[in-house]
Amino acid sequence: MIIMTFARCSSSFAAKIAQLSILLLLLISTCTSYVSASGGVINVNYKFAGVERSLSALTAHDSLRHLRMLAGVDLPLGGTGRPDAVGLYYAKIGIGTPARDYYVQVDTGSDIMWVNCIQCKECPERGYHGLELTLYNPKDSLTGKLVSCDQQFCLDIHGSSASSCMANQSCLYTQSYGDGSFSIGYFVKDVVQYDRVSGDLQTKSANGSVIFGCGARQSGDLSSSEEALDGILGFGKSNSSMISQLASSGKVKKMFAHCLDGVNGGGIFAIGHVVQPKVNTTPLVPDQPHYNVNMTAVEVGRDILNLQTDVFEVGDKKGTIIDSGTTLAYLPEVIYGPLVNKILSWQPDLKLHTLHEQYTCFQYSGSVDDGFPNVTLHFENSLVLKVYPHDYLFPFDGLWCIGWQNSGMQSRDSKDMILLGDLVLSNKLVLYDLENQVIGWTEYNCSSSIKLQDELTGSVHLVGAHYLSSACSLSIQRAIIIFLLIVLLQNLV
Ligand SMILES: *[C@@H]1O[C@H](CO)[C@@H](O)[C@H](O)[C@H]1NC(C)=O
Ligand SMILES: *[C@@H]1O[C@H](CO)[C@@H](O)[C@H](O)[C@H]1NC(C)=O
Ligand SMILES: *[C@@H]1O[C@H](CO)[C@@H](O)[C@H](O)[C@H]1NC(C)=O
């Protein structure tokens, strides 16, 4: 996960407004979040209609209901991939009994889920886009339990180092991310509530017991309120991820898909078997910790870049990583250099500026889609990923900046890697099929809906797009208006 921080809005201005409105905010009802769903046509598809609707079929259906795998899970999404607005996507989940809502970043580049816990001293109360944040307290939840270091989950995670485990000691975790940020804490087990798909654009609440991290401390980046959330929901492939835990208890299939809406924000995130849209796939590289695939060529406009084939295999971290928790796309110098030169050769007269020592930007007044080439990434099994100029160029301060990044310039874990984030994954339905060890995608309207199939009944349901958003920014606006009215009235009196 690498989140890009490149925000335009001056935080001191925001802080002043916030100060002015604190008093008034106290008077105004607490911030709530709302979710709106949009979707396509209602398509009723009931397997037990007609001849099959015999009593035995119904009872078979009912008894299956108790054991069966879910038709799917609909995870409401918010946020945006736009780098100029701190690109990240998040989902809302309920944790504990009684359940409380938490906002977590969805990250296919990491494996565990964690939320900030009661011990966290530096955690902000308001985070990304003004979201109201909540510290989790296992003692406030009837179903919350600590995980001790001698439990199997902890032994699996820590391997041999478990020998130092003393009875009843808690199981600790340290999670570090590609951008150098980290979270430290201990594991707990509690009930997680999610929306099970129950009909077309309909869901019912369901739950499952999941082990996740209770964050006691985190690095500055994760707690800066510009990008702070309650935690991170790792959708990686290891046994410790939430999807693996739900799958091992038979609650879901190990298949999920996301469609990150780069235009409106939010989008679709669903667990289950996607039958519409159909996607072409490429195999996952086996025995890798992340979602690695084999890239085979890079095409700019109609020209294939002349690259050695070994540039796609970087060090011992082979292949290309697909990561929804990363904002941009990172390529090693040997690919980045030729790619950016080729793109810029379409407009040889541009005057280039370097912003924040990292971003190559320029002034361009025409339509970028007319003035610059499409970039097509080719993968094993003839799968292609087309990236348009409006995807890889983003506007900033009256300039256009190039979203492709040189991973040779990155530090630590992500150095020299090929890491494809939201810059190239947005506006596509990306399907992760761990049952068949493939990943695939297709261009898609992420404000529309997709179809999930229930494995046992065969019925197919529509799952629509969501845009979670915080109502806080609205109440701040309202507070400012009221404040200005009061000032105005006082001046009049
Ligand atoms: C979890 O789901 C089960 C079965 O639907 C239900 O009986 C139980 O009350 C739920 N638990 C919580 C904490 O919501
Ligand atoms: C992960 O879980 C699966 C299924 O429960 C099991 O077969 C596999 O050995 C586990 N892998 C590891 C590394 O623990
Ligand atoms: C995408 O889908 C939404 C909802 O169905 C629709 O309103 C919108 O016009 C579509 N956008 C495009 C570009 O087709």
Side-chain angles (χ1 to χ4, degrees):
M1 176 194 81
I2 300 182
I3 300 173
M4 179 173 166
T5 41
F6 199 50
R8 182 199 313 272
C9 147
S10 142
S11 52
S12 62
F13 175 68
K16 273 183 208 129
I17 302 233
Q19 278 165 11
L20 284 177
S21 1
I22 277 174
L23 194 84
L24 288 147
L25 269 176
L26 289 175
L27 301 173
I28 294 170
S29 58
T30 50
C31 288
T32 50
S33 304
Y34 58 88
V35 47
S36 63
S38 65
V41 269
I42 303 293
N43 177 8
V44 180
N45 193 340
Y46 186 53
K47 175 138 191 318
F48 290 88
V51 221
E52 274 191 79
R53 199 183 173 109
S54 68
L55 201 57
S56 60
L58 274 180
T59 46
H61 172 251
D62 275 346
S63 60
L64 279 175
R65 272 169 99 95
H66 301 299
L67 325 162
R68 69 180 190 164
M69 286 187 210
L70 301 176
V73 174
D74 178 7
L75 206 59
L77 274 191
T80 169
R82 290 177 53 91
D84 52 328
V86 183
L88 56 85
Y89 288 92
Y90 61 89
K92 188 172 80 166
I93 49 167
I95 303 179
T97 313
R100 300 183 71 179
D101 284 338
Y102 296 84
Y103 298 97
V104 287
Q105 192 194 352
V106 276
D107 182 17
T108 60
S110 65
D111 285 317
I112 65 164
M113 168 171 122
W114 59 266
V115 293
N116 282 316
C117 275
I118 197 74
Q119 284 86 358
C120 183
K121 297 280 180 274
E122 318 90 82
C123 291
E125 286 171 14
R126 288 212 183 282
Y128 183 66
H129 290 186
L131 286 175
E132 187 178 10
L133 302 182
T134 310
L135 297 177
Y136 169 78
N137 184 352
K139 293 194 181 118
D140 280 352
S141 168
L142 291 175
T143 40
K145 292 186 200 77
L146 298 183
V147 172
S148 62
C149 60
D150 55 357
Q151 279 179 260
Q152 194 59 46
F153 180 90
C154 199
L155 297 174
D156 288 348
I157 282 226
H158 291 307
S160 58
S161 66
S163 53
S164 58
C165 170
M166 317 256 243
N168 287 334
Q169 254 177 2
S170 49
C171 178
L172 303 180
Y173 78 88
T174 309
Q175 179 79 22
S176 56
Y177 297 98
D179 58 3
S181 57
F182 63 84
S183 165
I184 295 174
Y186 54 96
F187 281 109
V188 293
K189 184 173 192 172
D190 205 343
V191 170
V192 169
Q193 312 266 351
Y194 46 82
D195 296 333
R196 182 172 70 80
V197 176
S198 60
D200 285 333
L201 306 176
Q202 285 174 354
T203 59
K204 285 207 173 99
S205 178
N207 65 60
S209 206
V210 172
I211 294 177
F212 57 92
C214 197
R217 213 158 75 75
Q218 50 172 236
S219 66
D221 283 358
L222 288 168
S223 62
S224 92
S225 61
E226 224 158 56
E227 48 183 275
L229 288 166
D230 287 312
I232 290 178
L233 176 48
F235 256 90
K237 59 193 210 184
S238 94
N239 281 7
S240 56
S241 68
M242 181 175 94
I243 184 163
S244 297
Q245 293 185 48
L246 291 176
S248 70
S249 60
K251 300 220 166 199
V252 296
K253 272 215 139 180
K254 265 181 134 171
M255 292 180 176
F256 65 95
H258 58 65
C259 196
L260 308 173
D261 192 327
V263 184
N264 305 312
I268 306 171
F269 198 113
I271 303 175
H273 185 182
V274 178
V275 290
Q276 219 286 298
K278 296 242 178 301
V279 302
N280 288 329
T281 59
T282 189
L284 282 168
V285 180
D287 304 321
Q288 293 291 317
H290 297 292
Y291 295 114
N292 289 56
V293 291
N294 280 318
M295 205 195 285
T296 52
V298 177
E299 186 178 353
V300 182
R302 297 243 167 111
D303 300 330
I304 301 267
L305 292 184
N306 188 9
L307 301 169
Q308 306 275 341
T309 51
D310 66 359
V311 303
F312 298 110
E313 298 180 7
V314 184
D316 52 358
K317 296 168 187 155
K318 282 198 174 26
T320 298
I321 296 176
I322 306 292
D323 178 9
S324 73
T326 286
T327 313
L328 298 173
Y330 296 79
L331 303 166
E333 175 89 53
V334 283
I335 304 176
Y336 171 85
L339 170 66
V340 169
N341 284 342
K342 192 78 180 181
I343 290 172
L344 292 174
S345 72
W346 282 54
Q347 300 291 339
D349 300 329
L350 292 177
K351 191 166 166 295
L352 302 179
H353 308 264
T354 303
L355 297 187
H356 294 233
E357 295 167 2
Q358 189 179 353
Y359 304 104
T360 301
C361 308
F362 51 82
Q363 199 148 33
Y364 186 77
S365 51
S367 147
V368 291
D369 282 327
D370 294 339
F372 294 88
N374 294 336
V375 174
T376 309
L377 307 178
H378 292 255
F379 296 86
E380 194 181 345
N381 212 7
S382 311
L383 183 65
V384 296
L385 182 67
K386 206 169 203 180
V387 191
Y388 297 94
H390 66 260
D391 294 322
Y392 69 73
L393 297 174
F394 63 91
F396 188 81
D397 267 356
L399 302 175
W400 288 96
C401 300
I402 299 178
W404 303 107
Q405 300 295 303
N406 180 352
S407 58
M409 307 277 283
Q410 302 298 309
S411 59
R412 288 173 285 226
D413 296 356
S414 43
K415 189 163 175 61
D416 292 333
M417 289 202 312
I418 306 179
L419 189 58
L420 302 180
D422 303 339
L423 179 88
V424 303
L425 303 177
S426 292
N427 306 321
K428 293 171 180 87
L429 188 281
V430 181
L431 174 75
Y432 301 72
D433 178 352
L434 300 185
E435 310 273 336
N436 299 303
Q437 291 290 310
V438 294
I439 190 167
W441 48 73
T442 184
E443 286 180 33
Y444 204 62
N445 175 354
C446 297
S447 300
S448 65
S449 50
I450 62 171
K451 286 183 185 167
L452 283 193
Q453 181 165 41
D454 182 302
E455 291 300 308
L456 288 172
T457 65
S459 56
V460 171
H461 294 302
L462 286 171
V463 175
H466 296 278
Y467 183 73
L468 283 175
S469 83
S470 160
C472 300
S473 51
L474 270 183
S475 52
I476 289 176
Q477 280 169 18
R478 221 182 295 143
I480 293 167
I481 292 170
I482 296 172
F483 177 79
L484 291 176
L485 278 175
I486 293 173
V487 171
L488 194 71
L489 283 173
Q490 280 174 344
N491 287 344
L492 285 177
V493 176

